[in-house]
Amino acid sequence: MARDTAQSAVALGGGHGLFASLSALRRLVAELTLDELTAVVTVADNGGSSGRLREEFGVLPPGDLRMALAALCGDDEWGRTWAELVQHRFEGDGDMRGHAIGNLLIVGLWELMGDPVRALDWVGRLLGAGGRVLPMAITPIDMTAVVRGLDTTDPSRTSTVRGQVEVATTHGQIVSVALEPADPDACAEAIDAVMSADWVVLGPGSWFTSVIPHLMVPKLRQALSDTSACLIVVLNLAPQEGETPGFGPEDHLAALFEHAPDLKIHTVLADVRSVAHPEQFDGSVSESGARLVIADIAAEDASDRHDDAKLAAAFEDIMAGSRVEGD
């Protein structure tokens, strides 16, 4: 697509949801629709390989950062090989079982360089990543959630659940989430990227443990409010067991505003099969000052996975439409 000005995008999230949005946005970089792409990644994971490395070395959990880097690898032999390698987990029965090679590479460079951002930039150069990967904060964070329904004798009573894994797998209804510390050190480079971006993409992903945590970092939330970038919120394809059981599109949007009432959304992007009442939802989105785009963005072989090519096409249409409106 021919453009008059450079375009940059920042995608926020974690895990498989951020992997999906980055895989789509990387296509736009390859097609020269975007010139710059930055991932800002949540760093509250306390489970699996990331949790073990975090506990042993006192570092940021590397897993979501690794997945973001893998998503930005190219489609050539070099990119595919490195993406597969950094995602590979050791097997066997020893202490190394379950560790992802990319996690060890990242932690090793952190120890060597003493600077998490510089080390991630080096990993990105090694992988030939089509964008930059940054943590949302430069110190480890713990997550807590107020959850209703864990007490069977009093279903209305709320309890506090601690830890990202524990929050993601709770059997109760999540009312709200918070971070400890409440004002973590935001990554300065991430703030700069958000402030200078043309587009910011929030979601899809685990709503309370990958998406909303970005809104809990005060300086990052302020940047999201102050930036002139257009914010695209990508909704999940279906409710997530543990985090958002029974949630519809309206509930996902409401949860964002409950945690960040001043959030300014440009576009809400939803899959055509996930919105049961389009006109009603369109009204809710319009009331928030945003516009609704409903498109076919789900993979054909799975009900809970976004299709890279379809999502890229939807992003490109949104960006192109905004430029036409601004002419």
Side-chain angles (χ1 to χ4, degrees):
M1 176 189 299
R3 293 174 295 112
D4 296 326
T5 59
Q7 292 280 300
S8 62
V10 175
L12 299 91
H16 294 285
L18 181 59
F19 189 95
S21 60
L22 290 176
S23 297
L25 291 167
R26 179 175 56 80
R27 288 173 174 262
L28 301 190
V29 174
E31 296 168 3
L32 304 181
T33 301
L34 288 174
D35 298 272
E36 294 183 13
L37 175 57
T38 303
V40 178
V41 185
T42 184
V43 285
D45 192 6
N46 67 326
S49 171
S50 288
R52 291 158 61 191
L53 292 168
R54 172 179 174 174
E55 182 176 358
E56 182 171 351
F57 296 101
V59 295
L60 298 173
D64 286 347
L65 296 161
R66 179 203 80 242
M67 287 190 67
L69 284 161
L72 293 175
C73 286
D75 288 327
D76 57 358
E77 183 181 9
W78 180 274
R80 290 192 300 270
T81 301
W82 275 109
E84 185 176 356
L85 179 64
V86 297
Q87 296 282 58
H88 177 74
R89 294 183 184 274
F90 289 106
E91 299 179 356
D93 299 318
D95 292 340
M96 296 296 292
R97 178 180 175 84
H99 275 305
I101 289 178
N103 288 356
L104 303 179
L105 175 63
I106 291 170
V107 173
L109 276 170
W110 281 342
E111 283 202 337
L112 181 66
M113 296 183 171
D115 182 339
V117 171
R118 180 168 175 250
L120 287 168
D121 285 342
W122 270 83
V123 178
R125 288 170 61 188
L126 175 65
L127 272 55
R132 194 180 193 191
V133 173
L134 300 168
M136 71 176 186
I138 57 174
T139 53
I141 297 167
D142 287 315
M143 176 171 290
T144 64
V146 175
V147 179
R148 181 181 294 113
L150 295 180
D151 186 346
T152 56
T153 64
D154 184 4
S156 64
R157 183 175 174 232
T158 60
S159 310
T160 299
V161 175
R162 187 176 306 277
Q164 179 174 311
V165 172
E166 291 75 12
V167 171
T169 58
T170 182
H171 296 294
Q173 178 188 359
I174 298 175
V175 177
S176 63
V177 293
L179 301 179
E180 292 184 356
D183 189 5
D185 294 329
C187 175
E189 292 83 354
I191 301 298
D192 291 342
V194 169
M195 291 302 298
S196 62
D198 297 291
W199 298 92
V200 173
V201 177
L202 184 63
S206 298
W207 215 242
F208 285 102
T209 56
S210 291
V211 177
I212 288 178
H214 294 276
L215 306 177
M216 298 287 93
V217 179
K219 290 182 179 178
L220 184 54
R221 183 175 67 242
Q222 189 63 48
L224 288 168
S225 175
D226 292 345
T227 183
S228 60
C230 297
L231 174 60
I232 304 172
V233 171
V234 184
L235 297 182
N236 290 339
L237 301 175
Q240 181 179 349
E241 185 177 355
E243 288 205 22
T244 55
F247 268 43
E250 295 87 351
D251 301 307
H252 284 85
L253 203 57
L256 291 183
F257 286 118
E258 286 171 7
H259 289 84
D262 55 348
L263 195 64
K264 300 180 182 68
I265 301 175
H266 177 275
T267 300
V268 175
L269 176 60
D271 180 68
V272 65
R273 288 171 288 271
S274 68
V275 182
H277 305 288
E279 292 184 2
Q280 178 179 330
F281 186 46
D282 185 49
S284 300
V285 171
S286 297
E287 288 178 4
S288 70
R291 64 166 179 159
L292 175 63
V293 173
I294 298 178
D296 177 11
I297 53 177
E300 297 294 338
D301 60 346
S303 61
D304 60 350
R305 184 174 65 82
H306 290 81
D307 181 271
D308 298 351
K310 293 178 180 179
L311 189 55
F315 283 146
E316 189 168 22
D317 287 345
I318 291 169
M319 295 174 185
S322 179
R323 287 193 291 273
V324 170
E325 290 171 6
D327 290 343

